Structure formats: C-alpha cells, structure tokens
Amino acid sequence: MTSKSFCYLSCFAIFLTLYFSFNTPCVWGQHEDHWGPQEATPAVVNPVVRYDASKILSLRGPWEIVPDSTLLGRHRMGKGPDWNEPDWSGVRTINVPSCWEAEGLGEPGTGLHWDPVFDCNPRPLKHIYMGVVRYRKTITLPADWSGQQIWLAIGGVKSEGYFWVNKKRVCYVNNYCGTYKYNITDYVVAGEPVEIVATVRNDTPSRKGLFSGCHRWGGLYRDVELQATNETWLDDVHVRGDYLSRTAEIHAAVASVLKETSSLTAQVTLKTLDGRSLVTTAATPVETGQDNRIQVPCPDLKLWTPEEPNLYLADVVLRDESGKIIDGWTERFGLRKLEVVGKEFHLNGKPYLLRGYGDDFVYPLTLASPADYKVHLENMKVIKRAGFNYVRLHTHNEIPEFYEAADEAGILVQPELPYYHDITTEGFIFDPMRDLQELWRHFRRYVSFATYSTGNEGYLGKEIGDAMYQWVKANDPDRIMQHQDGGCNTPTNSDFDSPNSYHGPSSIMPWMAGTFDYLDRPFIAHEYLNLGIKMDPRLEDRFTGIMNSPRTMKAYEELLSRCGLARVWGDRCLAAAHGLQGYYQKDGIERARLDPACDGYSYWTLVDVMVNQGPTYTGQGFLNAFYEQKEGGLSPEEFAAFNSPTAILATGDPGLGVLASGMTESYRFYLSHFGADPIPAGKLVWSIVNRDGKTMLSGEIAHGEIATGFVGELGDCAVTVPKLDRPEKVDLVVKLEGTSIENRWPKYWFPERKKQDGTGLIVSESLWNVLSDRYEGLVKYDETRLTPNDILIASAGEACVKAALAKGCRVLALGEATGGPNVRLGWWSLGSQLGTAFEQHAAFGDFPHTGRIDTLWFRLVCSGMFDLSVSNPLGQLEPLAVGEGLNTYYLYMGEGKSDNGYVLATYGLALLEDYPEAVWLLDNLVQYVKTRPAK
C-alpha cells in the first residue's frame, strides 16, 4: 500500500468514527505538536463587533524582535523544561500584525515560492528574510483581572511559532486557518508585567497555501490579544441564520474550570446593527462542555444576499443561578441559504448566478493580507460597483477580517484547502479532512462563506473525497461543495462542477452554448477569460511597500528607445491593451451568460497577479494590483453593464458590426435575469446613436413578465445602414424600458463607395488586379516612365519601391499582411498582440478610429508587422501605428522621407481585402499621399 493510500484510508476511518454528527466536536491534535502544554481552543480576535463588557488587552503595535537565522526554534530555548534566556543584543522593533519583510527585515532579492514549482510566481522584493525571528512584548496585566481566567489569543503565525509567557512554554502554532487561544492563568499575576516571547520561523513548511504566490514571508500577521474571562465562560458562539425556518440558531459553547457549576442560563437578544432590540428570548438552560443551541424565531428579519447584505447582531449573556451575568458575547450574522436545486444554484429559494472573480492573494504593499476589515471593505466596494458577487480564493483561505468585509459588502466567498491536486503546497502532512474541519469550525460564523473546495485542478482520491463531501452534507446544510476547482468533480464528491477537461470540455475559454448540457448539476466556469497583457510600469511609484514594481520604468523606456519610439507610443499601447482587455471581458462574460446551462464564472483575475513571462510580467487583471481602473480599460460601472444581476445580451455579431450603406445586420436580443424579483411586462427599446448623440434608427420589442432565473430570447430586429455622408462610429443601445438596465455595442458604418479616380497613380504589377477594380485611370508601373512627380502604389518589398524613391517619387508601400487577425490577447503566456495604437493623423482622413485597436481593426490587423528593433530598408519612418509584443514593438504604419522621395508604408494591415473599412482606409491613405509635396 502506498503512503498516500494509507493516508486516504486513515482519514476515512477517522471520518467514520469521529466526525459524522454535527453534535460531535472536532478532535484536534491528531498531528498536533505537543511541545507546549496548553490546549488550543478556538478564539476570535479583532472582530468588527464584540461584547461591550469583554476584557481584552490588544497587543497590536510595536514588539521587540531579534532575527537569528541560526536559531532552530523549539530546540534552542533551553536544554529541558527550564528557561534559557536568549541573546537579545541587536534588538529592534516591528509592528504586529505584519509580515516582517514588509517591516524592513531582510535584504533585497527575489521571493522564494511555494513547492509546486510548475506554478510559482517569484517577484523582486525590497526585503527577504528566511529563518527565525524571536518576538518579545512586555505589558502589565490589569489589576482588576485578579481571579480571572487569562488567555493568550493568537490570530495568525506564518509559518510556525513557539510561544512562552513569563519564561514558561505555552504552545506551538502551525495551522491552516484557525485562530486559537491558550490558558495562561497559572503563568501570570494581575497587576504585574507579562512577558510574551514567540519564536517564529518561515523556513519550514506553511499550511496556509497561497498566502502570496511570490514569497514565503513570515510573521505574526494578525492580532495577538490577552483575554480575561470568569471561571465559567462562553467559550465560543456562532449564529446560523436558518433561512427556511426564519430562525437565528444560536450555538453557544460554555466552558468552565470548576468541577461543578451551578444552574446556568443563556439569554439572547437580536438587534439591528445600530443597536435597536428586535427580540429577546427567555432564559434558556445551558451546560458546559457541549454545543448549546437556542432557536430564536425572527420572521421579520430581512434575508442576506450580495445585493442586500442585511446583517444583525445577537447578544448572548450567560447567567449563574442567581441571575448574575458572568459572561457575554456579541456575534454578527445574516440569514441565507445557498443550495443546488436540479441544475441551478438557488440563493434563498431563488435561482442565482454566481458572478465571480479569482483572487490570488495579491498585496503588493504588505504581502500579508491587511488585518483591517476596512481595507478589505474599501476594495470590495470597487468590486461590487463592477457587479461581482462571488470570489474564489485560489488554494488558500483569507483572514477573518476579509470575511467581515465580505459579510458587510455582500460577496460570497469560496475558500480552498491548501492542496494543488493532491500536493501539499509546502510539504506539510497530508490531511485534508483536518483542514476542512478547521475551516468549518472557525469560519462557519461568516454568512459570506458560501462554498467548499478542497483545492485546485486535481483529485485527492475517491475515499477521502467522498468522505469529506459526506461530512459537509451532514454538518453544514447552508453551504455547497465541489471537490476541487477545475478538478475531478463527480456526483459523489461535489454539488457542482467547474469543468476543466476531466470528464469533458473545459470552461476556461468561451464555449458554444450547449457544450455543457450533459452535466447533471450546475457549473461555474473555471478561471474564465485570463487575458494576458504586460503590466503597466507607470505604477512603479505606487510600489512603496515590500514589493518592487516587477516591470520598471527603466526597462520600459529602454525597450522603447531600442525601437526608436517616444514614450508616448508606449503609453498609447498600454491604453490600447487595457481597452482590448475590456472588449474581451465584455464579450466573454456575455457569451457565458448566453448559455442557460452556465450558473456562474470566476473571471480570472480581478487584479493583476503580475506573473513573470520572459523579460516582463503580466497584467491580466480587470483592475491593477491596487484595485484601480486601468487607463483605457473598463470602469467598474461599465463592467457592471454585463456583470449585474440582469444583463441584456445580443447575438448577430453585435460586437463587430462593420458595415457599409445598404448592408443589413440582424440582431437577436436575450436577457439574463437573476434579480430578486420578476420583471413586469414591458418593452425592450433599441436605438442606433451616432457620435453626436443623435438617434439614427430605433425600435421596440414587447415582452411579457420575466421570472427570476430566466435566460432566453426577447426578440430580434434587422438594421439596414442608411445613406451616409461620412463614416460613423455608432452605438447599438438596448434598454429595458422603465429601468436602468442597459447594454451597448459599438459599430462602424461607412458610406457606399463608388469607383474612385486614380489618375496620376502608378500601380505595380502585384497590386494591379486588385486596385484596377477600385480606381479608374491607373497606370501600370514601368520604370522608364517614372518621374519625380509620380505616385507609386506597390508592395513594400518590391524593387520598384526603391527605384521610385531614388527618383524622388511619392510611394504608398503596402507591406505583407499574412496569417490570421492579430487581435487575440494571451493567457498567462503572452502573445504578439499586447496593445496596438494609432496616431490621430491626417493620413487616416475621416476614418473613424479611436486611436487604439478595437473591432474596427479586427479584420485589418494581421501578422506581418515590422519589428522596430531592426533597421527598416525604407529608412527611419515616423510611426503612425504601433503595436507592442513580448520582446519588441511593431510598426503597422509609418511615413517619412526615404532616399530622394517620400514613403507612406503599412505593415500587417489587410488593406487589399474587400471590407468596407479596408477600402475606405486605403482611399484615405491614397488621398493623403497625393497631398504630399512632390520633389
């Protein structure tokens, strides 16, 4: 039997004997290090709300530290049970909570990544320190804590920590996601100083998973607190908001150090967030050592949804037999239920679409997740403005402060166990059941905690996978589970799927509707639409914390200089790349929503993860790493137009639509409606609006009442381009009458073209057949007839171009435009289209371009572009159109003096195709060349 199989069977046996009942407490310690004598019990530190009379002493702020990479943690504190005073010479201070590198500890370098080397992401950091750091904090215990039970509560340690109080061993901490407290009553005296020492290491395996993809940082990353309770106390309280019965189900764990306790009662008061009492229960008998449940009917409480994240408070007071309050607890909660009904997600009994994004734990200033819920709340306000309601945490769980913000902002959260396939991400002991139950035990209090996942893109094995699923089903009725995101999700280990080619096609990229109809359960598109471009180096001065800007202004400007380009071209290409990302974000999410089988997506990723790709780093996020809109990209409000509960969709090539007068395009309109209420019968109104805001065409389609969960067709229309005097950039605008629901798609319309006068134009043999159909009066090239006043149109590589330029002619040189359209962005790896920009220049005439690549250019921009880092045979040309690639910039159009003449050259532009935009642009280029002065 393999060791892995043994682990599977061992975990399954543990499941059968210990964990099947909700009433059975989790058994901690099957892999626990017993170096410290004090038992670990679940705790809460730094919550948003806390019972008013709680006795808490926060240790947030400066601690003394001594780094010593030669320390071995547990073994160097003493040669036995007695204390051996360490060397504190060289002591300095550091703030807790923090990552110690972000506090300036260590030397510059490249981060050290987690174990899956096939998917790691090291980055340049200002400080790196791998080894041991000894922390020390001395504080005086309040005198009125005499006779109390005193606890050391530790919010989070990475990777592991050994803790002493007044030179006595307390505990060893190396866990996945929980927060624990330890009884130190026998180690301290009220009114006297307390010395807390912690030896923390980051050079040993961490169980945190993807707590930053770029470095194995270290530190006390959440609050440390001293807490005082009576001899009998509320050890833990959480509230399950039961949507079905409209009750607040209070779970109160009572503990005591007394051998016998008098009759204990608990009383619950439900309140609004501003403290207004709603209902108070009668005193309910409770006992120590068990999970006491108190059902509080609350039919009038509003349900929690991401759109209306209604939260309430539960005050629980513990009384002795005389009625005296001996402890209290305040917990925040909401009522909701997420479930699978047939092939749909339902939230609070209604069909629901999970409009999600991926989170890779990107904190460029701190590396550690900020232990301040207000920071996360501000980020989530931006996220909510963009219409998102769901987040997938890739192979990690966030800190409680993140969940506090998600509860308040309205974001459903999918945490993940730290397993990449069945790999432990930093070589810790394989025990996913242990980690699953730790997650459940410590995070079930958060209404935003929505779905379970055991990791990323793999399979833990049938026995352990099925056992974990059964445990969740038995113990957590308000949440759903998949085995692994993008992994091997089966009916026996998952409620829903995230297809990634295990049993069929992948949902990573857009698919045809019907592709996933074979699934018997809902699915969320896995890591959907990763759209790789280069990171914006202009953010360099924003990297004021631990992380250096992965892409520097120096490297950016050196590449531009090597290609002979001014800085403005680089900036334009960046804006063009962001705009192209926006196009594919809109197109991709709309395509997913058009499929009635799709129940959600995890857009990948929300912010730039900044992954190394050859000489650069990617910027594939919707927002930059600081949760800001990208220049040229979509605003959160623009994103929300197709990412809100209700979105208008269209087919019939709505995203391209480049047409000429007299041409007709048909559109079919759909609605994806997941708002809380049905939409009354009404009208869908469409219009074509030009750049001046004038409505050129319009129409309306009547519709009946639309139920929540509807994804289907509302009607269609046909649009014929009218006679035009000029090219027009127009928008197809579609609205639901009487609502703010609207969507729009840009289109480009051109006047009908007639054959043009080509008098004075000389055309090379290679272009004669195409251009003679477009122009009258052309002359075929004959070198003997060439004069300095002539205008030559030829392929850029033909010998006649050099001959004409030598004689002082004006030349329009059309470079090769081979291969398919060069308009697609890359994935994690970068392609050759990373942003193409166009000068607002007279050469384009009235061609209605916006200055950057968009649907107007999708049929024109091909491969065959000219590498600007090499010499051009036509000489140094002033660029008019430039695109960025992985290692260089490319010229698509340029002009300049060449030899004795003038040349306007294009590269990679399909101007000889019979498209309205190709014909019109070539006409404008010809007219522009005619205006150039002859020699």
Side-chain angles (χ1 to χ4, degrees):
M1 178 184 293
T2 66
S3 60
K4 187 181 298 182
S5 298
F6 180 77
C7 285
Y8 293 160
L9 293 176
S10 297
C11 291
F12 187 54
I14 292 168
F15 154 72
L16 290 175
T17 57
L18 297 174
Y19 297 124
F20 204 85
S21 169
F22 186 80
N23 289 315
T24 304
C26 297
V27 176
W28 308 105
Q30 56 184 313
H31 300 302
E32 187 176 323
D33 186 312
H34 295 283
W35 171 89
Q38 298 306 312
E39 179 186 3
T41 58
V44 175
V45 304
N46 192 36
V48 172
V49 295
R50 204 193 299 261
Y51 185 65
D52 289 341
S54 296
K55 296 181 179 180
I56 305 295
L57 194 58
S58 173
L59 304 185
R60 177 178 282 237
W63 286 52
E64 294 179 316
I65 64 163
V66 173
D68 186 349
S69 59
T70 67
L71 286 173
L72 300 178
R74 63 189 296 154
H75 301 297
R76 287 291 296 275
M77 287 306 297
K79 299 177 180 179
D82 296 327
W83 174 262
N84 180 23
E85 187 68 33
D87 181 4
W88 289 102
S89 60
V91 69
R92 52 164 287 188
T93 60
I94 193 172
N95 283 312
V96 172
S98 72
C99 149
W100 62 46
E101 284 97 339
E103 289 284 309
L105 182 62
E107 301 298 326
T110 301
L112 302 176
H113 53 76
W114 65 352
D115 283 350
V117 293
F118 51 85
D119 193 0
C120 60
N121 187 20
R123 285 178 228 137
L125 303 176
K126 294 183 177 71
H127 305 281
I128 291 175
Y129 177 82
M130 297 298 296
V132 179
V133 172
R134 181 159 295 140
Y135 287 73
R136 180 171 65 181
K137 180 83 169 182
T138 302
I139 193 167
T140 299
L141 208 62
D144 63 359
W145 284 16
S146 178
Q148 303 286 292
Q149 295 297 299
I150 312 301
W151 306 85
L152 175 66
I154 301 167
V157 183
K158 188 171 185 298
S159 297
E160 64 180 13
Y162 301 84
F163 288 81
W164 289 258
V165 170
N166 288 340
K167 301 179 172 50
K168 300 293 185 182
R169 292 186 181 190
V170 174
C171 60
Y172 166 74
V173 181
N174 182 2
N175 64 306
Y176 163 45
C177 65
T179 301
Y180 296 96
K181 63 182 183 292
Y182 305 85
N183 195 313
I184 58 170
T185 306
D186 294 341
Y187 302 169
V188 298
V189 177
E192 295 187 6
V194 177
E195 181 190 64
I196 300 164
V197 171
T199 301
V200 179
R201 302 184 64 170
N202 69 337
D203 58 350
T204 52
S206 166
R207 288 176 52 201
K208 308 298 179 185
L210 187 68
F211 252 34
S212 178
C214 67
H215 180 53
R216 295 184 177 190
W217 51 268
L220 301 176
Y221 62 86
R222 291 191 65 233
D223 285 65
V224 179
E225 296 176 350
L226 294 176
Q227 303 176 356
T229 67
N230 288 316
E231 292 176 311
T232 300
W233 66 94
L234 286 167
D235 197 45
D236 191 27
V237 173
H238 83 276
V239 182
R240 176 189 168 228
D242 189 339
Y243 150 75
L244 291 176
S245 64
R246 291 298 204 280
T247 60
E249 185 178 276
I250 314 300
H251 293 252
V254 181
S256 180
V257 295
L258 302 176
K259 291 184 178 179
E260 295 184 3
T261 56
S262 58
S263 298
L264 301 172
T265 60
Q267 189 174 45
V268 179
T269 300
L270 303 186
K271 300 178 179 180
T272 60
L273 292 184
D274 60 6
R276 179 170 57 90
S277 294
L278 299 173
V279 60
T280 299
T281 68
T284 302
V286 294
E287 297 183 15
T288 61
Q290 65 175 301
D291 176 24
N292 298 282
R293 300 190 196 185
I294 304 172
Q295 302 282 352
V296 185
C298 48
D300 297 330
L301 296 194
K302 296 179 180 179
L303 300 177
W304 186 97
T305 69
E307 291 69 38
E308 294 186 15
N310 298 301
L311 294 171
Y312 298 93
L313 302 178
D315 274 353
V316 183
V317 293
L318 181 68
R319 288 185 168 91
D320 63 16
E321 62 182 355
S322 68
K324 177 184 176 182
I325 295 177
I326 57 175
D327 201 4
W329 190 295
T330 299
E331 189 76 6
R332 197 168 69 167
F333 73 97
L335 278 74
R336 70 117 183 96
K337 183 177 181 66
L338 180 64
E339 59 186 331
V340 168
V341 178
K343 297 176 70 172
E344 297 178 333
F345 295 126
H346 279 213
L347 181 65
N348 300 337
K350 297 179 181 179
Y352 201 71
L353 180 71
L354 295 175
R355 307 181 306 279
Y357 64 92
D359 181 285
D360 270 7
F361 205 93
V362 178
Y363 297 104
L365 300 182
T366 59
L367 287 190
S369 181
D372 182 346
Y373 102 102
K374 292 181 180 178
V375 174
H376 295 290
L377 185 59
E378 288 304 308
N379 292 340
M380 289 181 187
K381 287 178 180 178
V382 180
I383 295 165
K384 290 304 296 290
R385 282 167 46 206
F388 290 106
N389 61 14
Y390 183 74
V391 56
R392 177 204 166 193
L393 307 176
H394 189 305
T395 53
H396 71 278
N397 188 25
E398 264 283 2
I399 63 176
E401 288 83 353
F402 181 95
Y403 283 84
E404 301 268 22
D407 284 355
E408 191 168 321
I411 296 285
L412 292 161
V413 184
Q414 176 182 298
E416 288 184 358
L417 305 190
Y419 295 86
Y420 201 123
H421 306 226
D422 60 350
I423 300 169
T424 56
T425 50
E426 285 190 18
F428 54 85
I429 295 174
F430 180 91
D431 189 349
M433 182 68 87
R434 166 202 62 191
D435 301 323
L436 174 77
Q437 292 176 349
E438 185 177 5
L439 172 64
W440 168 81
R441 181 63 183 81
H442 291 261
F443 286 83
R444 58 187 172 172
R445 61 177 18 97
Y446 302 111
V447 65
S448 56
F449 173 22
T451 58
Y452 290 90
S453 174
T454 71
N456 179 63
E457 295 184 346
Y459 190 44
L460 297 180
K462 179 170 176 54
E463 293 84 3
I464 188 65
D466 290 359
M468 294 171 75
Y469 177 70
Q470 293 166 26
W471 191 91
V472 169
K473 293 295 97 182
N475 290 283
D476 202 340
D478 303 317
R479 298 181 175 93
I480 57 177
M481 181 176 183
Q482 65 174 329
H483 183 68
Q484 290 203 349
D485 208 292
C488 188
N489 299 308
T490 71
T492 63
N493 66 21
S494 301
D495 293 306
F496 66 99
D497 204 355
S498 46
N500 190 25
S501 303
Y502 270 89
H503 303 289
S506 172
S507 60
I508 286 180
M509 296 297 287
W511 63 88
M512 296 295 294
T515 299
F516 298 103
D517 286 353
Y518 70 92
L519 291 174
D520 59 357
R521 54 194 185 280
F523 80 91
I524 298 174
H526 169 72
E527 296 188 9
Y528 188 54
L529 284 183
N530 199 319
L531 300 168
I533 59 171
K534 288 183 181 179
M535 180 200 155
D536 191 339
R538 297 171 298 181
L539 296 172
E540 185 173 22
D541 61 359
R542 298 294 310 282
F543 285 82
T544 57
I546 172 61
M547 189 185 296
N548 290 313
S549 177
R551 190 181 181 200
T552 66
M553 284 297 297
K554 180 181 178 182
Y556 174 57
E557 292 178 339
E558 284 178 350
L559 178 57
L560 287 166
S561 176
R562 189 160 68 247
C563 292
L565 293 171
R567 158 76 184 278
V568 65
W569 277 109
D571 294 352
R572 288 171 177 170
C573 286
L574 284 168
H578 298 154
L580 196 56
Q581 272 188 319
Y583 168 80
Y584 285 116
Q585 288 159 355
K586 183 178 190 307
D587 180 69
I589 289 179
E590 288 176 347
R591 289 173 66 177
R593 295 189 70 160
L594 276 166
D595 187 352
C598 180
D599 302 282
Y601 40 82
S602 292
Y603 174 73
W604 218 255
T605 54
L606 182 78
V607 300
D608 289 343
V609 180
M610 300 170 289
V611 178
N612 180 239
Q613 290 294 326
T616 191
Y617 285 80
T618 62
Q620 74 283 350
F622 160 52
L623 304 171
N624 68 30
F626 302 96
Y627 286 81
E628 299 165 334
Q629 178 185 346
K630 296 180 177 181
E631 180 191 346
L634 295 176
S635 69
E637 290 72 20
E638 289 170 325
F639 204 100
F642 51 85
N643 193 44
S644 289
T646 302
I648 299 169
L649 312 169
T651 59
D653 217 2
L656 190 56
V658 183
L659 305 168
S661 293
M663 297 176 68
T664 298
E665 190 167 58
S666 295
Y667 309 120
R668 193 172 301 274
F669 301 117
Y670 299 79
L671 197 70
S672 171
H673 174 54
F674 290 89
D677 301 313
I679 297 173
K683 296 177 182 178
L684 186 77
V685 179
W686 63 267
S687 58
I688 300 290
V689 180
N690 71 4
R691 71 184 85 174
D692 301 321
K694 177 184 175 182
T695 298
M696 304 176 68
L697 297 168
S698 64
E700 58 186 41
I701 300 168
H703 64 80
E705 182 178 272
I706 301 171
T708 297
F710 173 83
V711 179
E713 181 182 346
L714 294 186
D716 55 27
C717 73
V719 174
T720 300
V721 181
K723 184 177 180 180
L724 299 172
D725 296 325
R726 64 178 186 182
E728 290 274 12
K729 179 183 182 295
V730 300
D731 283 331
L732 169 62
V733 182
V734 189
K735 303 179 180 180
L736 277 180
E737 190 176 57
T739 76
S740 60
I741 298 167
E742 174 183 311
N743 204 350
R744 59 178 58 212
W745 295 267
K747 300 185 174 298
Y748 292 92
W749 286 358
F750 290 86
E752 182 181 4
R753 182 189 183 273
K754 298 180 180 179
K755 200 167 187 178
Q756 303 289 302
D757 180 15
T759 303
L761 300 178
I762 299 174
V763 178
S764 68
E765 177 71 30
S766 65
L767 303 183
W768 179 260
N769 289 340
V770 174
L771 297 185
S772 60
D773 288 338
R774 297 190 189 180
Y775 300 93
E776 295 177 336
L778 298 180
V779 175
K780 191 175 291 188
Y781 171 74
D782 180 349
E783 185 177 2
T784 61
R785 297 176 53 188
L786 209 59
T787 70
N789 288 325
D790 289 332
I791 296 174
L792 173 68
I793 306 177
S795 298
E798 291 186 272
C800 60
V801 171
K802 295 294 286 183
L805 290 172
K807 289 191 175 183
C809 296
R810 291 161 289 174
V811 176
L812 176 57
L814 304 181
E816 189 176 34
T818 58
N822 181 27
V823 297
R824 295 293 304 183
L825 295 174
W827 182 247
W828 290 108
S829 56
L830 301 179
S832 58
Q833 178 54 262
L834 301 177
T836 295
F838 304 88
E839 179 72 87
Q840 296 291 350
H841 189 272
F844 294 97
D846 60 1
F847 193 69
H849 74 95
T850 62
R852 65 190 193 194
I853 187 168
D854 60 10
T855 54
L856 175 64
W857 295 97
F858 275 20
R859 295 190 296 194
L860 298 184
V861 171
C862 304
S863 54
M865 53 278 193
F866 186 84
D867 186 344
L868 280 166
S869 66
V870 301
S871 298
N872 193 326
L874 298 179
Q876 185 68 38
L877 302 182
E878 183 67 24
L880 303 182
V882 171
E884 186 171 9
L886 178 61
N887 298 299
T888 189
Y889 285 87
Y890 297 102
L891 182 68
Y892 285 92
M893 186 185 301
E895 68 166 345
K897 293 180 179 179
S898 181
D899 206 345
N900 294 320
Y902 163 86
V903 63
L904 175 63
T906 70
Y907 302 90
L909 296 180
L911 300 178
L912 300 178
E913 298 293 335
D914 193 24
Y915 308 138
E917 65 273 30
V919 174
W920 199 269
L921 179 55
L922 183 60
D923 284 348
N924 285 355
L925 298 183
V926 170
Q927 292 304 314
Y928 177 73
V929 173
K930 285 183 177 180
T931 66
R932 298 300 86 201
K935 183 176 179 181

